[in-house]
Amino acid sequence: MMEPGLYHILFISAGLFFIGVYGFLTRRNLITMLMSIELILNSVNLNFIAFNKYLWPGKLDGLFFTIFIIAIAAAEAAVAIAIIINLYRTHRSIDVEDAEQLKY
Amino acid sequence: MNEFFSILKPELLITAIIFILLFVKITKTMKTSALLLLIQGLLLLNFVGGFFFNTEGNLFGDMYFSNHLLMMQKSILNLAVFLISLLFANCLRHHEHLPEYFILMLSALLGMFFMISSQNMLMFYLSLELATIPVAAMANFDLEKKASSEAAMKMILSSAFSSGILLFGISMLYGATGTISFNEIPFALDGSVLNILILVFIFTAFAFKLSIVPFHLWTADVYEGAPMATSAFLSVVSKGSVAFIFITMLYKVFQPMSETWYNMLIILSIATMVIGNLFAMRQQNIKRFLAFSSIAQVGFIMVAISSGSAKGISSVVYFVLIYVFSNLAAFGVASVIATQSGKERIDAYKGLYKTNPFLSWVLALALFSLAGIPPTAGFFGKLFLISAGAFKANYGYIAFVALNMIVSLYYYLVIVRAMFMDRNEQPIEKIHLHPANKIGLIICAGGIVCIGLISWIFDHIQSLVG
């Protein structure tokens, strides 16, 4: 049984990042788009933790960064969901295709 | 301890104002019109207070850094927020949630202050988020309007996505260099492929915030849908502060890779100017028009940034100061007209001079200044930007930039022609201006006329850059 190393974790986090980007660009439901952004942020968290553990174990910069990213992601999601609720009140839908007043 | 207060003074003043507003909101003792007067007074005090007891220094274990140039940049942003509180008095005066609006705006301003002072990627990321999340809430402030909520949705999703990209760049930077301090990163960069990838990620995030061309698509929609004061705040304060930290990031953190980012800046600035100009020509709505004109202006700012010299920094700071006056004057007039008559289309401005000569003159001055016509300050701003860009002796590029300035004259002057020359049977009737609006417009017009002619302002900025 092989020990998982830095490359395995980086592979997973890069995969998560691009799944997030793909989801953000293709999904049409606002909540799902928000979830894709959370995937991106979590891939970044994995990156920081892995770099901190394997490459720079002496310093705690990466761990602290991760803690702050989690906190900010919660704040961002709170504001985004408040905006989405208001969008639902005005448009009766949370599909981005229905928010089409502003164009060109 | 004393030093702590004087270094952190701009941020502490803003925080104090936020708390005063929260207190007023909770106790519900004041009427909205009186409250607006209080806010304007506090913001004026805050602007004036920015000139006293300034000290240079580091705080929070080298995460925060302040010097006289940064104090100057913060004063410019303070001035812009004060002018916003004056210029949008007529549409904000009757809003029942006025204190919240200014609490959000000042929180964003606080984030911007920390952002331009940051010396560390963690500090930079936190303050960037503090500077963008409240703006999305501000964009949603016309709660019943469909366009407003759509604009806020576009704003929050694109800014969250761009900060995700920024974070991925920062995480790789941490992996490659082992540090997140601005002072240590340049020594650990070696110009490898990974470093170029990191630069591309971080540059992309800045391009989102500054609306540089391939990433500009949210700009026009957000400006059109959001309340006018929010659009003005986004286009002047937000853009100015991101331009300042963009300079720090490129000149200081990515200094060893200046060749790479120079080429990126050149290509993107050409795209930004051309697309901004071409799209501004075909706009019928004044807010969308101003959005695309601000995209084109960012292209000109990038020309100066590409020089990579002290001249570049001073000319950008000077240009942002002028841009505050000219763009806020344009937004202010558009907002007065939109609130009183409900008209936002450029066709409605025909024959405005007959009925509202003062508003037409202010808007004409602002547009002349944005276009860069000589007696106004905008000319000097553009002149310094382009002469800073010419530092690298690539005259073909500079000639192309100058050609773009000429193209931009066309669409600015179309509005001036509509106001002064075109006939219209039903022009917008005479608009009664609120005194605060009038004072704000007069300050803006005075700034546009005077700043270019008072030469020591530019000399002063240049001496601060050193």
Side-chain angles (χ1 to χ4, degrees), chain B residues 320-368:
Chain B
V320 170
L321 173 64
I322 293 164
Y323 187 62
V324 164
F325 286 114
S326 26
N327 216 22
L328 281 184
F331 267 109
V333 174
S335 141
V336 168
I337 291 172
T339 342
Q340 304 280 356
S341 67
K343 287 174 181 159
E344 285 184 2
R345 289 176 66 82
I346 290 174
D347 299 342
Y349 284 67
K350 282 180 183 164
L352 187 70
Y353 179 64
K354 284 266 162 54
T355 49
N356 297 291
F358 175 68
L359 286 180
S360 327
W361 275 114
V362 174
L363 185 54
L365 260 180
L367 293 174
F368 281 147

Side-chain angles (χ1 to χ4, degrees), chain A residues 47 59 76 86 90 99 101 104, chain B residues 129 140 149-150 171 178 288:
Chain A
N47 251 352
K59 291 184 280 185
E76 203 155 38
N86 195 50
T90 51
Q101 229 184 9
Y104 314 114
Chain B
E129 291 296 331
N140 205 348
S149 54
E150 187 181 333
S171 76
R288 287 188 88 83

Side-chain angles (χ1 to χ4, degrees), chain A residues 33-101:
Chain A
M33 287 168 82
L34 206 62
M35 283 159 61
S36 312
I37 291 172
E38 296 294 319
L39 273 187
I40 295 176
L41 294 178
N42 282 330
S43 83
V44 174
N45 286 344
L46 265 184
N47 251 352
F48 268 116
I49 297 286
F51 284 134
N52 201 342
K53 182 176 186 323
Y54 288 98
L55 291 181
W56 317 100
K59 291 184 280 185
L60 290 174
D61 291 346
L63 288 177
F64 281 120
F65 220 120
T66 308
I67 292 169
F68 279 107
I69 290 172
I70 294 169
I72 294 280
E76 203 155 38
V79 174
I81 287 175
I83 286 171
I84 292 171
I85 289 172
N86 195 50
L87 188 89
Y88 181 73
R89 286 205 183 121
T90 51
H91 288 72
R92 289 282 139 204
S93 148
I94 52 166
D95 195 320
V96 271
E97 303 282 350
D98 292 333
E100 47 166 20
Q101 229 184 9

Side-chain angles (χ1 to χ4, degrees), chain B residues 416-454:
Chain B
V416 176
R417 190 193 66 189
M419 287 191 304
F420 285 88
M421 291 163 150
D422 283 355
R423 290 177 188 288
N424 190 355
E425 277 82 54
Q426 293 158 315
I428 295 164
E429 56 263 34
K430 178 102 182 92
I431 289 170
H432 177 69
L433 281 175
H434 188 257
N437 282 73
K438 205 159 206 170
I439 296 170
L441 288 175
I442 288 171
I443 295 176
C444 284
I448 292 168
V449 175
C450 297
I451 292 213
L453 302 177
I454 307 172

Side-chain angles (χ1 to χ4, degrees), chain B residues 233-246:
Chain B
F233 184 79
L234 259 177
S235 84
V236 176
V237 186
S238 177
K239 227 161 242 182
S241 62
V242 177
F244 295 147
I245 184 69
F246 193 38

Side-chain angles (χ1 to χ4, degrees), chain B residues 124-147:
Chain B
F124 165 66
Y125 168 66
L126 289 175
S127 46
L128 182 74
E129 291 296 331
L130 183 55
T132 48
I133 295 176
V135 180
M138 279 163 69
N140 205 348
F141 227 70
D142 287 341
L143 286 173
E144 295 81 27
K145 279 194 190 154
K146 272 185 145 183

